[in-house]
Every structure is written in structure tokens, then in C-alpha cells.
Amino acid sequence: METLGFLMDGFAVALTPYNLMFALFGAFVGTLIGCLPGLGPANGVAILIPLAFTLGLPPETAMILLTSVYAGAMYGGRISSILLNIPGDEPAMMTCLDGYPMARKGRAADALAVSAIASFSGGLIGTIGLIMLAPVLARFALTFGPAEYFALFLLAFATLGGITGKNPMKTVIAATIGIMISTVGIDISTGTQRYTFGVLELYEGIDFILAIVGLFAISELLFFVESRMGHGREKVSVGKLTLTFKELVTTLPTQLRGGVLGFISGVLPGAGASLGSFISYTLEKQVIGRKGKFGEGDIRGVVAPEAGNNGASSGALVPMLTLGVPGSGTTAVLLAMLISLNITPGPLMFTQNADIVWGVIAALLIGNVLLLLLNIPLVGFFVKLLSVPPMFLLPIVTMVAFVGIYSISHSTFDLYFMIAFGVAGYFLRKLEIPLVPIILGLLLGPEMEKNLGHALVLSDGDWSILWASPLAVGLWAVAGLGLVLPYLLGPLLRRRMNAAMKETPVSD
């Protein structure tokens, strides 16, 4: 009952006309970003962060805007997967397997409609799971001491690559780069300058908002300039909606299974929406067996991955809100926004900033309804966007990023720094070094250092305090598994994902 009361308070925050307007705007923009191949939710949220500062939004409104963009981008990723056989983001890869064959059979409208409904179901199931699990985990996290938090942050880094990561060693390198960057500035415990080189702007450290916008948004712009400048893509005909109520009813068990599996994978550190969509699709294929025509345009092959990846997007918010540890790349960006707003994510957030937590959760429920209402009638508009040449979209994105960053500090130094991060991000991506671990290192590095220092002060310099409690030992053990499993299970899972992707027809 207490949770229900908090949720009602959250609805009181989310349903104000001001917040509702930004939730609708975020859902719309997020869908636009999601349907553009290559951008994805992390880039979308990073691009919109400067806008939130430019408009001077209060914390609850800013978070409602960005979480709506997150949810909208997860919805939008399916559009290019179905119509172009090009995933809008990595979690939408599995949607290509049956979505594109449906489109080639003249059922593009049916695939888009049923995938929107599946996205709604997955998001709804995930949000309900978030409501039920987050308060319980937050109460449990109150028992954590500095040693347990240090082990938890280590676990976050250990599982960051996930079992779907291409190269775990490059993930470690990226996280190390992030932690090194986080040490720049004045040490708050000793007052010592570290790696400032006499530059006054570096005394307070490197603003992670600059790093995020540079590494994600600016580097993505450079990739667009390199590979996608020129003409828009060929216009795709959606056709008429022929989906029957009977077909929709037959997909309900698939939606339920996909949403639950997706939520579980989202909660697990390092798993995320990609694994959620893959597991949901694979399980559905095994459940249906020979009765299905997976890879040939089976409607359940569209429903399962969409329910899975949208359930995972809500699940990834659980560790971020309760422990201050992001469950995905996008939640790492959202974590940076919370810290920028002087809000400390973690168990105390549910008491000290309950209006923000429950306002965001309520906004997710409202946003799912808004996204369903947007995605079905406006699908023709989103399809037309796929044919717009990037040369018309790039200046808008660039303007938002530059104006937003300048409005935060009114410093040209920050603009140059953002560009530097963008160029660095471009070359790191060329080397296939992931960017999310860098952001996570930048965000969690100071907290990891602080908790290590507190633990050693409490133990009078005895390092054994880091594994003295059973909880800390358990976290260290899971962290060890997180380092080993990518090498053991990663290649097998990637081979299966690649084999599944080869089943879909190649675009003409």
C-alpha cells in the first residue's frame, strides 16, 4: 500500500500540464531518433541533455523528458528494422528476422502495428516490475557499507561488457580510460591538484556532460558525415492494415513471455536490451516449434523481440535508481544527468527525492500510452523521415548540442573540450573500443575512490575489510563471474545471434 501511495504521488507530478507536455515531446522526439538507423537511445538522450539545461527545466521535468526520449527511441528502433532491414539500434536486430519478411509480403503496416503493441506490452510489464522490485532493492541497499559499495562498483565494471560484448579486453581498456579521466581535478580529501597542468578550467574536474555529448552525439555526427551524407533512403510503402483481432490475441502469450524475460535481462548488469530481445525471440521459437515460420515473416517473431527489448529498458532503470549503477548505456547517460542535477542516485533517493523517482516511474506508464497512441496513427510520418537526407538533419542536431552546452557554463573552453571528446570518440569507435565504459568510469570512478578511502579509514588501513562481510564476498564472486563469462559464453551467444540474423532475406 505504501508503494501505491508513492505511485499516486508520482502521477500527481507526472500529470501536471507542464510535465505532460514534455513527456509527449520526449516520446515524439525519441521515436524520431529511434527510427533513424545508428542513433539509438543513448545518443538520443545525450543530444537532448543540453536542451534540458537550456530550457532551465526543474529536475523532475528534465528526467521525465529524458526517460520519455529513452522509451520513445526503444519504440522507434523497430521502424527501420521492418521497412529497411536495418536495425535502428542493436536491440532491434532481432526484429529484422521476421519484420522485414512481413514487409516484403505486403504486411508492413501489420508488422509496424503489432510491434507497437508489443512494445507497449513489454514497456508496461517492465514498468510494473520496476514498481515492485525497486523499493525492495532500495531497502536492501541501505545495508551496504563502503566496502560493499566498492565491490558493487567493481561488479558494474566487471559485467559492463556483457556476454554479448565483442571484445571484453577493449571494455576493460575503455573503463580504465574513464577512471583515469575521472581523477582529473582537485582531490577533495587532500586538496592536491591532479593532472590539471595549471589549467584553471580543469580544477573542478572534467564535466561528464561535456564528455557524454562529445563522445556520443558529436562522434555520431562525424560518422554520419563520413558514411551517410548525400541522398535519403528509398521511400518504402507501408500499405494497408490487415491485422485481425484473432491474430493479435494469439500474440498475447508471446508479449507476456517477452516482457518478463526482457525485464529480467534489463535488471542484470551487463545484459541489457540486446540480450533481452535475443532470449525472447529464441524462447518463442522453441515454444512454438515447427508450428511457426520464424525467419519467414511469423508475426510472433516480431512481437517477441520488441516486447523483450522494451521490457529490458525499464528493467535497466532498477539498478540505476536503487544502487546508482546503470544497467545499460542509456541509463549511464541518465545517471550522469541525475548527478548533474545534484541528485545522488541510490537507496536514499527513494526518501530524499521521492517526487523525482516516482514522477519518472509514473511518467513511464503514461509515456507508454502516449507512445502507443503516437506510433500507430503517425507511423506514415516516421516512415517519411527515413527518406530525408541526413544533410538536413545534421545541422539541427549540431545546433542543439552546441547551444545547449554553451548555455550551461557560457564557456567557449567547454565547446572546444566537447569537440575534442567528439573527435576522440570517433577514433575510439574506429578502433572498436566501446564508449559506454568510458562514461561509466567517469561517473563511478569518484564514488569508487571515495568508498575505497572510507573503507580503509574505518579499518585503519586494513585491506581485508573489502572482503570481510558475506555480502562483499558475494559481490566479488559475481564480479569474477562477470569477467570470466564473456570469454566462455560470449562467443557461443554471438555465433547463435549471427546465425539467426542470416536467416532473414537480404535487402534488395
CSV table of all heavy atoms in Angstrom, one decimal, residues 35 139 178 188 193 204 276 284 293 297 299 303 315 325 339 377 379 381 469 471 507:
chain,number,residue,atom,x,y,z
A,35,CYS,N,14.0,5.7,-35.0
A,35,CYS,CA,13.8,5.2,-36.3
A,35,CYS,C,14.9,5.5,-37.3
A,35,CYS,O,15.0,5.0,-38.4
A,35,CYS,CB,12.4,5.7,-36.9
A,35,CYS,SG,12.4,7.4,-37.4
A,139,ARG,N,15.6,-0.8,-0.2
A,139,ARG,CA,15.7,-1.1,1.3
A,139,ARG,C,16.8,-2.0,1.6
A,139,ARG,O,17.5,-1.8,2.6
A,139,ARG,CB,14.3,-1.7,1.7
A,139,ARG,CG,13.2,-0.7,1.9
A,139,ARG,CD,12.0,-1.2,2.6
A,139,ARG,NE,11.4,-2.3,1.9
A,139,ARG,CZ,10.3,-2.1,1.0
A,139,ARG,NH1,9.9,-0.8,0.9
A,139,ARG,NH2,9.8,-3.0,0.4
A,178,GLY,N,38.1,5.8,-18.7
A,178,GLY,CA,37.1,6.6,-18.0
A,178,GLY,C,37.5,6.9,-16.5
A,178,GLY,O,37.4,8.0,-16.1
A,188,ILE,N,39.4,15.9,-3.4
A,188,ILE,CA,38.6,16.6,-2.3
A,188,ILE,C,39.1,16.2,-0.9
A,188,ILE,O,38.8,16.9,0.0
A,188,ILE,CB,37.1,16.2,-2.5
A,188,ILE,CG1,36.9,14.7,-2.5
A,188,ILE,CG2,36.5,16.8,-3.7
A,188,ILE,CD1,35.4,14.3,-2.5
A,193,GLN,N,46.2,18.9,-6.4
A,193,GLN,CA,45.9,19.0,-7.9
A,193,GLN,C,46.4,17.8,-8.6
A,193,GLN,O,47.5,17.3,-8.4
A,193,GLN,CB,46.5,20.3,-8.5
A,193,GLN,CG,46.0,21.6,-7.9
A,193,GLN,CD,46.6,22.8,-8.6
A,193,GLN,OE1,47.0,22.7,-9.8
A,193,GLN,NE2,46.7,23.9,-7.9
A,204,GLU,N,38.1,21.8,-11.3
A,204,GLU,CA,36.9,21.2,-10.8
A,204,GLU,C,36.6,19.8,-11.5
A,204,GLU,O,35.6,19.2,-11.3
A,204,GLU,CB,35.7,22.1,-10.9
A,204,GLU,CG,35.8,23.3,-10.1
A,204,GLU,CD,34.5,24.2,-10.3
A,204,GLU,OE1,33.6,23.8,-11.0
A,204,GLU,OE2,34.4,25.3,-9.6
A,276,GLY,N,18.0,-9.3,-24.0
A,276,GLY,CA,16.5,-9.5,-23.8
A,276,GLY,C,15.8,-9.8,-25.0
A,276,GLY,O,15.0,-10.7,-25.1
A,284,GLU,N,10.7,-18.0,-27.8
A,284,GLU,CA,9.5,-18.1,-28.6
A,284,GLU,C,9.6,-19.1,-29.7
A,284,GLU,O,8.7,-19.9,-30.0
A,284,GLU,CB,9.1,-16.7,-29.1
A,284,GLU,CG,7.6,-16.6,-29.5
A,284,GLU,CD,6.7,-16.9,-28.3
A,284,GLU,OE1,7.1,-16.6,-27.2
A,284,GLU,OE2,5.6,-17.3,-28.6
A,293,LYS,N,6.7,-20.1,-38.5
A,293,LYS,CA,7.5,-19.9,-39.7
A,293,LYS,C,8.5,-18.8,-39.4
A,293,LYS,O,8.5,-17.8,-40.1
A,293,LYS,CB,6.7,-19.6,-40.9
A,293,LYS,CG,5.8,-20.8,-41.3
A,293,LYS,CD,5.0,-20.4,-42.5
A,293,LYS,CE,4.1,-21.6,-43.0
A,293,LYS,NZ,3.3,-21.3,-44.2
A,297,GLY,N,8.6,-14.4,-41.7
A,297,GLY,CA,7.5,-13.4,-41.6
A,297,GLY,C,6.5,-13.8,-40.6
A,297,GLY,O,5.3,-13.4,-40.7
A,299,ILE,N,4.5,-13.5,-37.3
A,299,ILE,CA,4.1,-12.3,-36.5
A,299,ILE,C,4.7,-12.4,-35.1
A,299,ILE,O,5.0,-11.4,-34.5
A,299,ILE,CB,2.6,-12.1,-36.5
A,299,ILE,CG1,2.2,-10.7,-36.1
A,299,ILE,CG2,1.9,-13.2,-35.7
A,299,ILE,CD1,0.8,-10.3,-36.3
A,303,VAL,N,6.8,-9.8,-32.5
A,303,VAL,CA,6.3,-9.5,-31.2
A,303,VAL,C,7.3,-9.8,-30.1
A,303,VAL,O,7.6,-8.9,-29.2
A,303,VAL,CB,5.0,-10.2,-30.9
A,303,VAL,CG1,4.6,-10.1,-29.4
A,303,VAL,CG2,3.9,-9.7,-31.8
A,315,GLY,N,13.7,-2.4,-17.0
A,315,GLY,CA,14.5,-3.2,-16.1
A,315,GLY,C,15.8,-2.5,-15.8
A,315,GLY,O,16.3,-2.6,-14.7
A,325,VAL,N,24.0,2.4,-10.0
A,325,VAL,CA,24.8,1.6,-11.0
A,325,VAL,C,23.9,1.4,-12.3
A,325,VAL,O,22.9,0.8,-12.2
A,325,VAL,CB,25.2,0.3,-10.5
A,325,VAL,CG1,26.0,-0.5,-11.5
A,325,VAL,CG2,26.1,0.4,-9.3
A,339,ILE,N,23.3,13.1,-11.6
A,339,ILE,CA,24.4,13.7,-10.9
A,339,ILE,C,24.6,15.2,-11.2
A,339,ILE,O,24.9,16.0,-10.3
A,339,ILE,CB,25.7,12.9,-11.2
A,339,ILE,CG1,25.5,11.4,-10.7
A,339,ILE,CG2,26.9,13.5,-10.5
A,339,ILE,CD1,26.7,10.5,-11.1
A,377,PRO,N,-1.0,5.9,-35.4
A,377,PRO,CA,-1.5,6.9,-36.4
A,377,PRO,C,-0.5,7.6,-37.1
A,377,PRO,O,-0.7,8.0,-38.3
A,377,PRO,CB,-2.4,7.8,-35.6
A,377,PRO,CG,-1.9,7.7,-34.2
A,377,PRO,CD,-1.4,6.3,-34.0
A,379,VAL,N,2.6,6.6,-37.9
A,379,VAL,CA,3.7,5.8,-38.5
A,379,VAL,C,4.1,6.2,-39.9
A,379,VAL,O,5.3,6.1,-40.3
A,379,VAL,CB,3.3,4.3,-38.5
A,379,VAL,CG1,2.2,4.0,-39.5
A,379,VAL,CG2,4.5,3.4,-38.8
A,381,PHE,N,4.3,9.3,-40.9
A,381,PHE,CA,5.2,10.4,-40.8
A,381,PHE,C,6.6,9.9,-40.5
A,381,PHE,O,7.6,10.4,-41.0
A,381,PHE,CB,4.7,11.3,-39.7
A,381,PHE,CG,5.7,12.4,-39.3
A,381,PHE,CD1,5.8,13.5,-40.1
A,381,PHE,CD2,6.5,12.3,-38.2
A,381,PHE,CE1,6.7,14.5,-39.8
A,381,PHE,CE2,7.4,13.3,-37.8
A,381,PHE,CZ,7.5,14.4,-38.6
A,469,SER,N,32.8,-9.0,4.8
A,469,SER,CA,31.4,-9.4,5.0
A,469,SER,C,31.0,-10.4,3.9
A,469,SER,O,31.5,-10.4,2.8
A,469,SER,CB,30.5,-8.1,4.9
A,469,SER,OG,30.5,-7.6,3.6
A,471,LEU,N,28.3,-10.4,2.2
A,471,LEU,CA,27.7,-9.6,1.1
A,471,LEU,C,28.8,-9.2,0.1
A,471,LEU,O,28.7,-9.3,-1.1
A,471,LEU,CB,26.9,-8.4,1.6
A,471,LEU,CG,26.3,-7.6,0.5
A,471,LEU,CD1,25.4,-8.4,-0.4
A,471,LEU,CD2,25.5,-6.4,1.1
A,507,SER,N,18.3,-7.4,-48.1
A,507,SER,CA,17.6,-6.3,-48.7
A,507,SER,C,18.0,-6.2,-50.2
A,507,SER,O,19.2,-6.3,-50.5
A,507,SER,CB,17.8,-5.0,-48.0
A,507,SER,OG,17.3,-3.9,-48.6
